[in-house]
Amino acid sequence: MTTTPSADPSSLEREEAHALLKGMLRVRRFEERCIELYSAARIRGFMHVYIGEEAVAVGAMQSLRPDDAVVSTYREHGHALVRGVPAASILAEMYGKAEGCSRGHGGSMHLFDLAARFYGGNAIVAGGIPIAVGLALADKLQGRDRVSACFFGEGAVAEGAFHESLNLAALWRLPVVFFCENNLYAMGTALTRSESQTDLTAKAASYAVPTWAADGMDVLACRAAAGQAVAATRAGAGPAFVEFRTYRFRAHSMYDPELYRPKAEVQRWKQRDPVETFAAALQDLGLLDRAEHDALERDVAAEIDDAVAFAERGTLEPVEALTDHVYRRRVR
Ligand SMILES: Cc1ncc(C[n+]2csc(CCOP(=O)(O)OP(=O)(O)O)c2C)c(N)n1
């Protein structure tokens, strides 16, 4: 059975509400700056932004502990930021600087930070899912009550890695939570054009994995669904699957003419902008005033300015270091 928990903003504490809004603003403003930097050729290579999906990362990660693991995709700046990877080390990585979280070797799609237990950043669709299952297996074998959280797009549910991973995770009752961000399009392919079963929770349920569905444009709904799923998994129930119904406002990557979806559809979803609607709801409830909103924006802008300055003054990764860290030990 799929559960869709409701979320009521009127029960929020002021501080808690501001923290959720700030979390989403950090992701939104960071990526808006990344787009500018990319256009100015300060950032190169592929870059995929998360704008429109911020409620998912912020809501879903509320119930994770620092010792839990997070595994992500190539659209991972938001996941990394919310998880606690410093903005400066993310941006330096995107600049290809040695001070970046992956020493400048990874770029936008391969952010990694062991201290934050952030295990990537993965350019391969569904590539992170077996990694999360492996992390969960290690925790189970070593008797730790940690959870591994894995984010992936709906395109990944068509991959064999998804099916093999759900099967093994359910069979072995592993502590892994599958967070599916269904933004309706895998690159230029609509879900309805590629899947016979478009109810993704039904796919997960076929592996006897309990499922939740959440409005991915509502940070409280995301938090509620993920909270229940993570609690069940941490209590020993085995894996859980949460589908967040969301939308990306920008193109798939920086090179995408977006010919596969009508502009009116994008406009319709933008009316449900998770950052703006949450801020408006808080104002209506008297939980946020103009000055507080401005102060949050100022804090976020300062953090991003510092990150840009850090990335700018960093050292470009030298070509001689290109093959360093490929293998931990020499392979014979
Ligand atoms: C195994 C594999 N196949 C194809 C690609 C090319 N590719 C890159 S992104 C993408 C779409 C994935 O969409 P989805 O998983 O829904 O994530 P979203 O981009 O919507 O966040 C594809 C097919 C790839 N990177 N890896």
Side-chain angles (χ1 to χ4, degrees), residues 209-231:
V209 172
T211 64
W212 281 261
D215 177 356
M217 309 310 269
D218 176 346
V219 68
L220 297 181
C222 295
R223 183 175 76 160
Q228 292 182 8
V230 170

Side-chain angles (χ1 to χ4, degrees), residues 10-229:
S10 65
S11 57
L12 278 177
E13 299 289 336
R14 197 174 196 87
E15 209 173 303
E16 182 191 16
H18 290 187
L20 291 170
L21 179 60
K22 187 172 177 183
M24 290 194 286
L25 283 171
R26 288 179 73 229
V27 177
R28 175 69 59 92
R29 302 291 176 244
F30 180 84
E31 290 203 313
E32 286 170 347
R33 189 73 70 87
C34 288
I35 292 169
E36 285 170 25
L37 294 165
Y38 194 91
S39 307
R42 305 305 295 160
I43 297 172
R44 309 239 181 130
F46 283 96
M47 187 173 92
H48 308 80
V49 296
Y50 193 61
I51 291 176
E53 305 188 28
E54 296 89 346
V56 179
V58 172
M61 267 190 261
Q62 295 302 310
S63 41
L64 297 181
R65 298 189 319 219
D67 62 337
D68 292 333
V70 175
V71 183
S72 181
T73 66
Y74 49 82
R75 198 181 297 289
E76 87 273 35
H77 311 149
H79 302 138
L81 273 171
V82 177
R83 181 57 189 174
V85 184
S89 90
I90 297 175
L91 201 57
E93 184 58 41
M94 293 165 75
Y95 268 61
K97 299 286 178 82
E99 294 78 5
C101 57
S102 307
R103 299 180 173 145
H105 289 238
S108 162
M109 296 201 279
H110 302 103
L111 305 176
F112 182 93
D113 188 324
L114 196 57
R117 297 209 75 221
F118 186 78
Y119 290 88
N122 199 314
I124 307 298
V125 173
I129 303 178
I131 295 174
V133 170
L135 288 162
L137 175 62
D139 284 332
K140 175 143 183 160
L141 291 176
Q142 298 188 27
R144 298 183 287 242
D145 74 335
R146 305 195 299 205
V147 162
S148 292
C150 184
F151 290 87
F152 51 90
E154 85 290 346
V157 304
E159 295 283 347
F162 169 83
H163 295 274
E164 295 177 38
S165 297
L166 259 80
N167 180 55
L168 272 188
L171 192 64
W172 295 343
R173 289 176 80 87
L174 299 181
V176 53
V177 183
F178 299 102
F179 286 143
C180 179
E181 305 183 308
N182 180 5
N183 61 17
L184 302 175
Y185 295 91
M187 235 162 161
T189 307
L191 181 65
T192 47
R193 291 175 70 94
S194 59
E195 292 294 297
S196 58
Q197 171 57 277
T198 54
D199 179 349
L200 305 180
T201 62
K203 291 195 179 222
S206 76
Y207 292 100
V209 172
T211 64
W212 281 261
D215 177 356
M217 309 310 269
D218 176 346
V219 68
L220 297 181
C222 295
R223 183 175 76 160
Q228 292 182 8

Side-chain angles (χ1 to χ4, degrees), residues 228-288:
Q228 292 182 8
V230 170
T233 294
R234 202 183 305 284
F241 176 93
V242 188
E243 179 192 349
F244 299 98
R245 296 177 180 156
T246 184
Y247 201 77
R248 64 172 160 70
F249 293 169
R250 312 289 294 222
H252 166 75
S253 70
M254 298 304 285
Y255 310 102
D256 170 13
E258 267 192 283
L259 301 177
Y260 48 84
R261 60 184 192 180
K263 288 195 169 44
E265 178 185 291
V266 182
Q267 287 313 320
R268 251 195 337 274
W269 278 90
K270 280 188 175 171
Q271 284 164 11
R272 302 203 52 231
D273 185 315
V275 186
E276 287 172 17
T277 53
F278 188 60
L282 297 185
Q283 276 156 19
D284 290 348
L285 288 163
L287 288 170
L288 179 76

